[in-house]
Amino acid sequence: GLAKFAHLINMDTVVDLLGVLKSLLKKVDALPLDASLNCVLTAFQTLQGPGREMQIDQKEYVTPLYSQLPRLATENSSRHHTEIALKCLDAAFIKRREYSTVRIAAFVKQLCTVSLHAPAHTSGPLMAFVRQLLQRYTSVQQMLENEQDVITSGTYAPGLDDPEQTNPFATSAWELATLKFHYKEQVAAHASGAASLRILQFPAEAPDRVRKNMIRDVDEMYIECKRLKKKHPLESRGGDRRQQARFITPRKTGNYHLK
């Protein structure tokens, strides 16, 4: 609830509040996922509200967010915490301008990796957010290139908690090539859109709208399927119908008694 009123907090209490949040995020892995994400969201909304005049490096709140994203891959966490995770990502990269290209690239890679393992109703909105990041920060579009064209030295270190130490430009977003064949049409469409840099069509393709629609499909047990209608080979395809006519010659038999 504190995140809803963060913009109304007095400037005198901002420093104390950020100090408490910082101490909580130091042991972020011991917190429940909803508590850790709410701490991150409260910090961002406080800095964008009464604390916007403070010159504070927001890395202390971006790093815990990066380390908590893999926890969305489980069924319970993805269903109940994807909404708050999207709010944190929006506050970190859309409502504010991130100037660390390495940090953005690390989040793109992390989101692609989580989408590869998470349930479909989490992979869809995360892929939509990846498209949003690739359009807003064009400098990370080089992650769509082949790994053989990468000129960065070193190797990618996905196990580190600090996104700026993972060396994300040493790899590529190869997960998009796999997600394009996802069984869920929305996930495959957003993965293909990210790979081809297609612009999101707001508000229909907004990440939160995608999440709501996919959750509704799960609740209603809706199973989408494409109807492929094949034409009969003798069916006319336009043009001169006389050219499509086919005549079948009766086969000769030895049943002469029918004559």
Side-chain angles (χ1 to χ4, degrees):
L2 186 59
K4 297 181 180 179
F5 305 100
H7 63 286
L8 301 175
I9 298 177
N10 191 305
M11 185 61 184
D12 297 335
T13 61
V14 168
V15 178
D16 296 334
L17 175 60
L18 292 177
V20 172
L21 294 175
K22 189 184 303 182
S23 62
L24 289 173
L25 292 175
K26 287 181 179 179
K27 50 183 180 180
V28 64
D29 292 332
L31 297 175
L33 183 57
D34 58 341
S36 60
L37 292 177
N38 274 296
C39 287
V40 173
L41 181 61
T42 303
F44 279 122
Q45 292 187 349
T46 301
L47 292 174
Q48 292 168 5
R52 60 182 177 271
E53 302 298 334
M54 302 176 62
Q55 302 297 327
I56 297 179
D57 184 11
Q58 300 188 13
K59 176 183 178 180
E60 298 176 346
Y61 310 106
V62 174
T63 300
L65 175 60
Y66 176 85
S67 65
Q68 295 304 296
L69 289 177
R71 297 175 67 179
L72 293 174
T74 61
E75 180 69 29
N76 294 332
S77 296
S78 64
R79 177 155 183 109
H80 299 96
H81 304 131
T82 302
E83 180 181 6
I84 184 68
L86 289 173
K87 290 181 179 179
C88 292
L89 291 168
D90 185 76
F93 297 103
I94 304 303
K95 292 183 179 179
R96 59 178 286 269
R97 185 74 181 180
E98 177 60 64
Y99 294 99
S100 174
T101 305
V102 176
R103 193 180 297 173
I104 302 167
F107 268 86
V108 170
K109 181 64 176 178
Q110 185 81 302
L111 290 173
C112 291
T113 303
V114 173
S115 299
L116 198 62
H117 302 280
H121 52 266
T122 295
S123 300
L126 291 185
M127 279 291 97
F129 189 80
V130 168
R131 292 178 62 184
Q132 199 171 1
L133 282 180
L134 291 173
Q135 293 296 330
R136 180 172 172 81
Y137 302 97
T138 57
S139 58
V140 300
Q141 293 179 2
Q142 58 181 300
M143 296 193 68
L144 302 179
E145 300 177 358
N146 193 307
E147 289 188 358
Q148 297 179 352
D149 299 330
V150 174
I151 59 176
T152 304
S153 60
T155 58
Y156 174 58
L160 299 180
D161 291 336
D162 189 351
E164 294 186 276
Q165 302 296 327
T166 58
N167 197 18
F169 287 115
T171 184
S172 63
W174 59 265
E175 294 87 354
L176 297 178
T178 302
L179 289 168
K180 286 194 295 185
F181 299 98
H182 200 278
Y183 74 95
K184 202 71 173 178
E185 182 180 358
Q186 295 96 321
V187 180
H190 284 294
S192 179
S196 58
L197 296 177
R198 289 201 305 267
I199 299 177
L200 279 175
Q201 301 298 322
F202 286 92
E205 294 183 336
D208 192 59
R209 175 74 68 85
V210 173
R211 182 195 65 82
K212 291 179 180 178
N213 292 340
M214 298 188 74
I215 288 292
R216 182 191 60 196
D217 292 346
V218 173
D219 293 338
E220 297 177 356
M221 293 184 291
Y222 171 73
I223 301 176
E224 59 183 352
C225 62
K226 290 184 178 180
R227 181 183 178 186
L228 300 178
K229 184 179 179 181
K230 293 185 178 180
K231 292 185 177 181
H232 193 274
L234 297 180
E235 185 177 354
S236 174
R237 300 180 181 178
D240 190 359
R241 292 179 178 271
R242 291 175 297 180
Q243 297 180 358
Q244 303 293 330
R246 297 183 182 181
F247 298 94
I248 302 176
T249 303
R251 186 178 59 181
K252 293 182 179 181
T253 65
N255 299 327
Y256 298 103
H257 63 279
L258 297 177
K259 294 182 180 181

